[in-house]
Amino acid sequence: MQVFVILPAAGLGTRMAGPQPKQFLALDGVPILIHSLRAFAAVPRVSAIYVAVRKTEMERVQQQIGEHGFTGRVCVVEGGDTRQQSVSNALNALPAERDDIVLVHDGVRPLIEAATIERTIDAVAEQGAAIVGVPAVDTIKQVERTAHGALITATIPREYIVLAQTPQGFRYGLLRDAFAEALADGFVGTDEASLVERAGNPVAVVHGSQVNLKITQPGDLELAEFYLRQRGR
Ligand code: CTP
Ligand code: MG
């Protein structure tokens, strides 16, 4: 059984509004995407890593991969206009068998820990599908959007809420089928689990951590620098 990793990194980083897409911004002097790559390259069970980037960035990423000594286990593929399309393109390029494991991880979650990756792989091997998630700490309100702003319609008990992170891991066959079904139905989701859930499959949750943040908006980079310094101690 092989383990493949897909890193979607073809986004534009609109919310970050940086000088370039956030996956290329430096964190401790190294591009965010390279931090994410390093984390998976450090896990011996990982056979190969597929990075999906915009066509115009393919050359630059290929070069960065070489500079950081990752050639061999890393392939660069062309991303698409949605995250789902980027992952789909990478899935189509994988030389995987149905029983192999595929982990999908946001290219912009540079602080993922090896132990969490290992636990996700173990959970997928046992249960077929598993994602990293963290319990909600705030009280969750469901709202209705009105002309005067949001109005609360319900309070959702916190114990039923988990915030989804990545990696999200699946048996290759299960994930391929879920992607094909979503495509046929015109469904576009913001994560892989939502596709697998709607296909009727159970998905387990592995405990993550707040440290595994997704660099999304200004300020997140400083927070990531802080976590990185803490780790170095
Ligand atoms: N992603 C991708 N292809 C897309 C859109 C997103 O591969 N067409 C990737 C991003 O590069 C990122 C991950 O999916 O690694 C999570 O997406 P998100 O945080 O939404 O990043 P962006 O789409 O770049 O940011 P924004 O939504 O603010 O524009
Ligand atoms: Mg986005």
Side-chain angles (χ1 to χ4, degrees):
M1 184 197 73
Q2 298 201 78
V3 177
F4 293 92
V5 175
I6 293 174
L7 295 180
L12 296 173
T14 330
R15 286 168 288 179
M16 190 73 178
Q20 56 177 331
K22 57 196 181 179
Q23 55 272 33
F24 303 115
L25 298 178
L27 173 62
D28 196 23
V30 173
I32 287 173
L33 177 60
I34 297 295
H35 281 276
S36 307
L37 253 174
R38 261 188 197 161
F40 287 88
V43 175
R45 274 194 285 176
V46 168
S47 316
I49 305 169
Y50 284 66
V51 186
V53 298
R54 303 225 146 224
K55 195 176 186 142
T56 47
E57 312 277 16
M58 287 176 80
E59 220 179 283
R60 147 154 83 154
V61 171
Q62 196 69 64
Q63 195 183 331
Q64 287 180 351
I65 284 169
E67 274 167 26
H68 290 89
F70 293 126
T71 21
R73 263 159 96 208
V74 182
C75 299
V76 179
V77 299
E78 189 179 336
D81 288 337
T82 61
R83 180 202 148 93
Q84 188 169 316
Q85 189 60 57
S86 295
V87 174
S88 175
N89 290 0
L91 262 182
N92 289 335
L94 291 189
E97 307 276 347
R98 280 193 76 84
D99 279 347
D100 288 337
I101 288 176
V102 181
L103 301 182
V104 182
H105 181 73
D106 294 321
V108 292
R109 285 188 196 270
L111 298 177
I112 182 66
E113 285 171 348
T116 310
I117 298 171
E118 296 277 8
R119 276 188 286 121
T120 309
I121 297 172
D122 292 340
V124 178
E126 249 173 59
Q127 292 167 275
I131 71 162
V132 175
V134 291
V137 290
D138 296 322
T139 298
I140 308 290
K141 303 293 187 188
Q142 188 172 319
V143 297
E144 181 190 338
R145 307 277 173 196
T146 73
H148 309 290
L151 277 182
I152 295 170
T153 53
T155 298
I156 304 166
R158 209 163 50 201
E159 60 267 33
Y160 294 125
I161 302 293
V162 158
L163 306 178
Q165 296 187 341
T166 69
Q168 302 201 342
F170 314 88
R171 293 276 181 200
Y172 173 73
L174 187 79
L175 191 59
R176 275 303 286 258
D177 292 350
F179 265 74
E181 214 171 294
L183 181 67
D185 298 344
F187 174 85
V188 179
T190 52
D191 72 349
E192 290 61 53
S194 59
L195 275 55
V196 172
E197 290 156 36
R198 71 187 288 283
N201 301 287
V203 181
V205 179
V206 168
H207 240 273
S209 128
Q210 305 283 356
V211 175
N212 180 28
L213 83 165
K214 179 161 74 84
I215 306 289
T216 305
Q217 48 202 4
D220 289 347
L221 209 50
E222 284 78 1
L223 188 55
E225 297 267 5
F226 170 78
Y227 284 139
L228 207 58
R229 277 201 304 276
Q230 295 281 84
R231 190 179 284 180
R233 281 195 188 150

